Amino acid sequence: MDALLTSCALVALAEMGDKTQLLAMLLATRFRKPVPIILGILVATLANHFLAALVGHSIAGVLTQPWFRYAVAASFIAMAAWTLIPDKIDEDAPLKAPSKAGVFLTTLVAFFLVEMGDKTQVATVALGAQFDNLLAVTAGTTLGMMIANVPAVLFGEALARKVPMRALQLAAALLFLLLGLWMIADLQGWIG
């Protein structure tokens, strides 16, 4: 349960103001078809985050040395710094209408590709290395992405004007920092 809840909270907070959340808002305002957009985000996130968690889990199984756990802790601290850098997307850039593939496939492909190397994907790799439960990490990170992106799709522009994205980014950075410091304290034997 820790893997699910930690993964969900970290990714939901890290996604606030992230380029994939901005992409969700952009797709919603341009296509005005929330159901296929939400389904596209769900399928893309499941695929992307399962692969990321699998990579993290596979690496953790091979590299069980303390230095690797320190590297995972350091990656959480680095994620804290990265989270403080706001993402931007060019809203004036033309967005072509979906081809015969439709809004769902357009969203799926765009979201999967934009998520590659994104901070939430990197966090998912780290979470996959941290926890033994690959499915709980994937479910948690996917749930976190949906918590952040479904309102972005449904309420898009109004949400962007009312929610203080900077405060959410600071909260996410603090959470990543605390998790990294907690892991280091645990490795040093300072925690129970």
Side-chain angles (χ1 to χ4, degrees), residues 7-153:
S7 299
C8 179
L10 282 174
V11 168
L13 286 172
E15 182 64 8
M16 296 300 167
D18 191 67
K19 68 182 171 249
T20 46
Q21 187 181 49
L22 297 173
L23 175 63
M25 289 181 192
L26 182 64
L27 290 168
T29 57
R30 299 284 170 95
F31 297 138
R32 302 196 193 287
K33 294 186 177 189
V35 173
I37 292 170
I38 291 168
L39 291 174
I41 291 169
L42 175 64
V43 173
T45 302
L46 279 169
N48 192 297
H49 285 205
F50 175 75
L51 293 173
L54 183 62
V55 166
H57 185 72
S58 297
I59 290 171
V62 173
L63 304 170
T64 57
Q65 301 297 321
W67 68 267
F68 178 70
R69 296 198 61 213
Y70 280 108
V72 171
S75 75
F76 280 119
I77 293 169
M79 288 298 300
W82 191 4
T83 300
L84 294 174
I85 302 169
D87 285 322
K88 294 181 178 146
I89 194 165
D90 186 4
E91 291 184 18
D92 295 329
L95 185 63
K96 296 180 181 177
S99 64
K100 294 178 185 174
V103 175
F104 168 78
L105 193 56
T106 300
T107 302
L108 186 142
V109 171
F111 228 81
F112 186 86
L113 292 175
V114 169
E115 185 65 11
M116 296 300 285
D118 193 58
K119 62 186 155 209
T120 50
Q121 187 192 42
V122 173
T124 302
V125 171
L127 289 161
Q130 169 73 19
F131 295 105
D132 287 332
N133 193 333
L134 179 65
L135 295 178
V137 168
T138 303
T141 59
T142 300
L143 181 60
M145 287 289 283
M146 300 312 289
I147 287 170
N149 286 304
V150 169
V153 170

Side-chain angles (χ1 to χ4, degrees), residues 170-184:
L170 290 171
L174 182 61
L175 194 56
F176 278 119
L177 178 64
L178 291 174
L179 185 57
L181 293 174
W182 175 79
M183 287 180 65
I184 290 171

